[in-house]
Amino acid sequence: MTTWVLLRGLMREARHWGEFPVQFQNALLAQPTEAALHIVTLDFPGNGSLYEQTSASSVAEMANYVHTQLEQLGYAPPYHVLALSLGAMVAVAWSELYPDELEKMVLINTSLAPYNPFYNRLRPANYPALIRSLLYGSAAQRESLILRLTSNQGSTRLAILEQWVNYAREYPITRANILRQLQAALCYRAATKTPPVPVLLLAGQQDRLVDVKCSLTLAQHWRCAIRLHPTAGHDLPLDDGIWVTQQVKEWLHS
């Protein structure tokens, strides 16, 4: 039995995966070598169903939370991890803290100090709008900005935005928790060594939030596999979940 743990990014929750977890599970189960698997989507404290809790102020705390939560839910290691953005930082920290628990990592559109400079990790042109919207905007304004910066979806954008605004109103994230999560992302520094497990990096070349150079630099330092999507943005599973699944399947077979 294989357990895949899916981790989302800043201010996101399990529901933001949309149809991807089912799509991912069905594709992997179609492989003759995979008889059964678990797909586990977790919310970090302060997000989603845990919106009333206080967010961790460090990536290491988030990694420890994932470790403890999986144990409490009864999922035994080793785990495969597919993680996006801040969630991918958590996956790297998890591999540092509990190297025997992880078997494989798929990291999507992430960035890490000390490998990547701050101006690549978050494009400076977005700073004013992000500060204004994340800290002072309404739920609708905030979700509209996040969708615009993270996805290159076209015809389904309005339906996705309506769904995301409903999520934000049902489980409202506090400004204090937004700041804690930002602090965690900005202050985390990964160890200057290759992760102890096989890594696949996926990145969208049209990512308007994080420069694709971040993933390219990590691939060079870690000497790991990397696949680039020519048109997708930051939220690769949303923009092209089928492509993500196909890259993972090919990598697992290689």
Side-chain angles (χ1 to χ4, degrees):
M1 176 72 74
T2 303
T3 299
W4 278 90
V5 182
L6 275 52
L7 301 176
R8 269 265 166 187
L10 181 74
M11 299 167 50
R12 302 294 84 185
E13 57 164 285
R15 291 182 295 182
H16 287 108
W17 287 111
E19 299 175 355
F20 178 75
V22 172
Q23 184 182 67
F24 188 65
Q25 183 174 38
N26 290 341
L28 293 187
L29 284 175
Q31 300 178 112
T33 56
E34 193 67 67
L37 60 84
H38 293 300
I39 302 290
V40 184
T41 57
L42 296 177
D43 285 338
F44 292 119
N47 296 346
S49 60
L50 307 180
Y51 75 99
E52 293 179 313
Q53 296 185 21
T54 300
S55 290
S57 56
S58 75
V59 168
E61 288 180 62
M62 295 179 183
N64 276 313
Y65 170 81
V66 172
H67 161 79
T68 302
Q69 190 67 10
L70 288 169
E71 188 176 69
Q72 291 177 351
L73 291 171
Y75 295 105
Y79 310 108
H80 290 50
V81 183
L82 184 145
L84 169 65
S85 197
L86 173 59
M89 295 183 209
V90 174
V92 172
W94 187 8
S95 74
E96 295 171 0
L97 292 167
Y98 305 99
D100 294 336
E101 287 193 357
L102 303 188
E103 194 166 296
K104 291 181 174 64
M105 294 196 300
V106 179
L107 308 181
I108 303 173
N109 283 326
T110 195
S111 63
L112 294 168
Y115 299 103
N116 310 127
F118 74 91
Y119 51 84
N120 285 154
R121 298 186 65 202
L122 183 60
R123 295 179 185 272
N126 295 322
Y127 292 175
L130 282 168
I131 292 171
R132 184 170 58 250
S133 180
L134 297 186
L135 297 182
Y136 306 109
S138 65
Q141 291 170 328
R142 186 173 66 237
E143 294 302 318
S144 178
L145 176 66
I146 292 172
L147 183 59
R148 179 169 61 83
L149 291 179
T150 62
S151 173
N152 294 335
Q153 284 278 358
S155 60
T156 59
R157 180 180 293 275
L158 289 178
I160 294 169
L161 178 58
E162 182 179 359
Q163 197 172 49
W164 285 13
V165 170
N166 288 336
Y167 294 163
R169 288 171 176 162
E170 182 179 2
Y171 295 147
I173 188 171
T174 65
R175 290 187 177 90
N177 278 339
I178 293 173
L179 289 172
R180 288 189 186 94
Q181 292 175 38
L182 280 170
Q183 176 185 343
L186 293 172
C187 294
Y188 176 62
R189 291 182 66 83
T192 53
K193 60 182 181 180
T194 303
V197 299
V199 176
L200 169 64
L201 295 172
L202 301 179
Q205 290 185 288
Q206 304 305 317
D207 188 339
R208 290 190 292 273
L209 192 67
V210 176
D211 198 311
V212 70
K213 292 177 183 177
C214 292
S215 293
L216 291 168
T217 299
L218 290 175
Q220 183 178 15
H221 280 282
W222 292 347
R223 299 182 184 276
C224 67
I226 185 170
R227 304 286 185 270
L228 303 179
H229 192 295
T231 61
H234 191 68
D235 197 336
L236 241 174
L238 173 63
D239 280 358
D240 198 343
I242 294 174
W243 182 87
V244 171
T245 296
Q246 186 61 36
Q247 304 314 306
V248 174
K249 286 173 61 177
E250 290 177 4
W251 177 65
L252 291 174
H253 286 154
S254 65

